[in-house]
Structure formats: structure tokens, C-alpha cells
Amino acid sequence: MSQKQDLKKLLTELEEKCPIINQPVNERDFSIVRRMKAEKELNIPIKRRIGCVISVKTRQPANKMNEQEWEEFYKELCDQLKQEHADMYGRLFSKGH
């Protein structure tokens, strides 16, 4: 399998495992952070990552950012999830996950 095919397979599996669906704010935030965390862990290139969230600061979708912008944006989203929905944050970032 080529690298492009491997990436396509990874993205397909990720979409099945971590779909982004329109849902209540707390669940949507959880879904987005979960997806971004999975993409980062799988080393998906930023340009191939989910672009449905847009930074107010950079005015760019996440998949159009450079690495530093993406990392800062991801951290801000994680911090927001932790502050507003600590239980959901714990589900994502507990040692067992």
C-alpha cells in the first residue's frame, strides 16, 4: 500500500471511530477535541485534519493553520473543555485512555 493509500485508510477509520456530528455544545466540543487528539496521535498531516472548527484568533480552519497555530488552538480547545466540561475532559485525557 502506498503512503497516500495508508493515509486515506487511516482517515476513513478515524471518521468511523471519531465522527464529527452536530450535537449539543458540550458534546460537540468533546467530539472536536477527541477528533483532534486522535489526528495528532496518528500524525495525520495538518492539511488532512478536520477543518470544521475555525479559530477566532487566526480566522482559519484548523486544517489551514501552521503547526504552531494548530498546537495553540488545540491547547485552547482542550483547556476550554477542561474548564467547562471537566468530566468529558477526564474521559479523553485520563490515564486509562
Side-chain angles (χ1 to χ4, degrees):
M1 233 183 215
S2 72
Q3 189 175 20
K4 188 174 183 178
Q5 290 171 322
D6 289 342
L7 181 57
K8 189 172 182 174
K9 183 179 181 218
L10 264 177
L11 291 170
T12 300
E13 290 171 0
L14 193 56
E15 183 60 34
E16 291 171 5
K17 182 178 177 184
C18 302
I20 300 294
I21 42 182
N22 193 11
Q23 36 188 267
V25 173
N26 62 335
E27 293 177 17
R28 184 193 64 223
D29 292 350
F30 173 82
S31 175
I32 289 169
V33 171
R34 177 187 65 185
R35 175 63 176 262
M36 291 176 79
K37 179 179 185 284
E39 290 172 336
K40 180 179 177 174
E41 289 171 351
L42 292 169
N43 293 315
I44 303 293
I46 290 176
K47 68 181 181 179
R48 298 297 305 266
R49 295 180 186 179
I50 197 75
C52 69
V53 289
I54 298 173
S55 168
V56 174
K57 185 186 205 176
T58 66
R59 296 186 173 163
Q60 296 180 77
N63 63 351
K64 300 293 183 194
M65 298 175 183
N66 65 42
E67 182 126 6
Q68 182 180 350
E69 290 169 331
W70 191 94
E71 289 292 340
E72 288 174 11
F73 184 51
Y74 173 65
K75 183 185 180 318
E76 289 168 6
L77 292 174
C78 289
D79 290 347
Q80 181 179 332
L81 184 66
K82 184 176 184 179
Q83 182 178 9
E84 296 176 8
H85 310 288
D87 58 326
M88 292 180 157
Y89 178 89
R91 287 177 23 208
L92 275 180
F93 294 99
S94 67
K95 291 184 182 187
H97 287 84

